[in-house]
Amino acid sequence: MAAKLVTLPYFASVVLTCLLVVSVSAIPSKKINSLKLIKQVNSKGPYIGLLTVFPPEENAFLGTADFKPNPEHPFVDLSGRRYRVGTIYGKKVIYVRCGIGMVNAAAVTQQMLDLFDVAGIVHFGISGNINNSMSIGDVSIPKQFANTGLWNWLNPKGTVDPDDVAQLEVGKYNVPKGDGVNLLGKLSYSTEQLFSVSREPNDATTLFWAGVSQHWLKLASSLELVPSTKAQASCWAQGLNRRHFVDNAAYRDFLYKAFGVSSADMESSATCLSNGIPVIVIRGMSDLAGGQSGENAMDTYGSLAALNTAKAVLKFISKLPGYNSR
């Protein structure tokens, strides 16, 4: 009996040790190495977070050669994406290409903020031009932007919610004008919920327009672009975010009249507000979003717009106080 009293605690300790070993070994070694690397990177923070969307924007940004990779920890690979660590004009930055669409932009922005010591986000790339007063190649830095991906598709006799922001009656675009009943009915654009660190948990507010950080916008308003880019930087404009590519003159005209916007893209509003850190959006006009005659010009002028945008981003970063490497 005495032997049993001695061996039971020993047996229990062996089982506990085995469970601990199994629990630790269940974590992939690659993930453990990534977390160690992130910890080392964060010891040199804080950083400015930089996000682009697709390869032409990344090529223009990295092609300037002003981004200098960190010689010790040049990148961290996470969830199929490469977070590049380095400096621009001595300012510490972490850059990533998120991918097209709001889901990608939101996932990458939150991953960056949750894992890295990032104190502000600069989201940049190309966009469609909705405002005829601007030209292809110009750079827009919107004071606010909206997500028009939240809408109700109603039948022709459907009732629009009085709280909705705008509505598009498809029948108004019949040819001949007003001829017959269009069974596509109408679209009614809604506000969305915003959860933020500035509010109590699960206490969402509703909004349509999301504003960028005012002190960063004021700083950006003083940008002077290099003459060779043949571009102007336009602050105080409004941007539009949607989940579809716009290449339709009638819809472009509707967006401008209904919302008074200058640019349209598919990611910007996914990088804003919730985390309570500075955010700014910088977008170059690559096409007329359907306002042109013939084919969309994005493939022709996308690289020019991306380069102009990259130069504006570099100018902005050079003016930001702090974030200096040590």
Side-chain angles (χ1 to χ4, degrees):
M1 187 69 176
K4 290 183 179 179
L5 292 174
V6 172
T7 57
L8 281 176
Y10 173 75
F11 175 76
S13 65
V14 171
V15 172
L16 179 60
T17 301
C18 290
L19 288 174
L20 289 172
V21 170
V22 170
S23 298
V24 172
S25 62
I27 303 175
S29 58
K30 186 175 181 179
K31 185 173 182 178
I32 293 175
N33 291 335
S34 295
L35 293 175
K36 289 179 179 178
L37 181 54
I38 290 171
K39 185 176 181 180
Q40 293 171 345
V41 169
N42 285 342
S43 67
K44 304 295 184 181
Y47 297 86
I48 306 166
L50 306 177
L51 283 85
T52 56
V53 176
F54 75 134
E57 298 163 346
E58 180 172 85
N59 294 339
F61 170 67
L62 297 178
T64 65
D66 289 302
F67 172 81
K68 308 297 182 184
N70 184 304
E72 186 177 2
H73 306 301
F75 59 84
V76 180
D77 290 338
L78 294 169
S79 306
R81 297 179 178 87
R82 175 155 293 182
Y83 291 80
R84 301 174 187 267
V85 184
T87 59
I88 294 175
Y89 305 144
K91 311 284 186 178
K92 294 171 292 185
V93 302
I94 294 179
Y95 161 80
V96 64
R97 172 163 56 90
C98 66
I100 296 173
M102 286 188 64
V103 172
N104 282 321
V108 169
T109 301
Q110 199 59 54
Q111 184 177 57
M112 175 183 277
L113 293 174
D114 286 343
L115 295 180
F116 295 98
D117 184 9
V118 170
I121 294 288
V122 180
H123 180 100
F124 65 100
I126 64 175
S127 64
N129 178 8
I130 306 295
N131 188 340
N132 288 330
S133 68
M134 301 188 72
S135 302
I136 289 179
D138 285 349
V139 177
S140 174
I141 307 175
K143 64 179 180 180
Q144 58 184 4
F145 42 88
N147 171 26
T148 58
L150 290 175
W151 41 262
N152 302 308
W153 201 328
L154 307 174
N155 63 53
K157 296 182 180 180
T159 302
V160 175
D161 188 326
D163 291 331
D164 283 354
V165 181
Q167 63 173 304
L168 169 62
E169 294 189 31
V170 180
K172 288 185 176 181
Y173 296 87
N174 286 356
V175 177
K177 188 174 181 179
D179 183 34
V181 176
N182 194 305
L183 297 181
L184 289 176
K186 64 187 74 173
L187 279 66
S188 180
Y189 294 83
S190 307
T191 58
E192 62 181 314
Q193 291 184 316
L194 173 70
F195 293 86
S196 172
V197 295
S198 63
R199 302 177 66 88
E200 292 296 321
N202 292 332
D203 179 25
T205 185
T206 58
L207 59 75
F208 184 74
W209 293 106
V212 301
S213 304
Q214 292 301 302
H215 62 293
W216 274 20
L217 185 66
K218 184 177 180 181
L219 183 66
S221 67
S222 63
L223 292 181
E224 294 180 4
L225 300 186
V226 179
S228 62
T229 64
K230 297 181 180 178
Q232 61 176 348
S234 175
C235 291
W236 321 113
Q238 297 186 136
L240 205 61
N241 191 213
R242 68 280 181 274
R243 297 179 182 179
H244 46 272
F245 183 81
V246 176
D247 188 25
N248 181 278
Y251 191 54
R252 176 184 188 265
D253 183 60
F254 165 78
L255 292 176
Y256 182 76
K257 290 179 178 178
F259 303 109
V261 294
S262 291
S263 63
D265 68 80
M266 298 169 65
E267 297 82 21
S268 293
S269 67
T271 62
C272 188
L273 295 184
S274 289
N275 296 279
I277 65 167
V279 172
I280 196 165
V281 174
I282 302 176
R283 288 276 184 166
M285 307 295 188
S286 63
D287 59 90
L288 297 179
Q292 76 285 343
S293 59
E295 295 295 319
N296 188 281
M298 186 182 74
D299 291 340
T300 302
Y301 297 109
S303 58
L304 169 66
L307 180 59
N308 289 350
T309 304
K311 290 182 177 181
V313 170
L314 296 173
K315 285 274 189 178
F316 176 75
I317 292 174
S318 71
K319 290 178 174 289
L320 274 178
Y323 307 98
N324 295 307
S325 59
R326 60 178 187 267

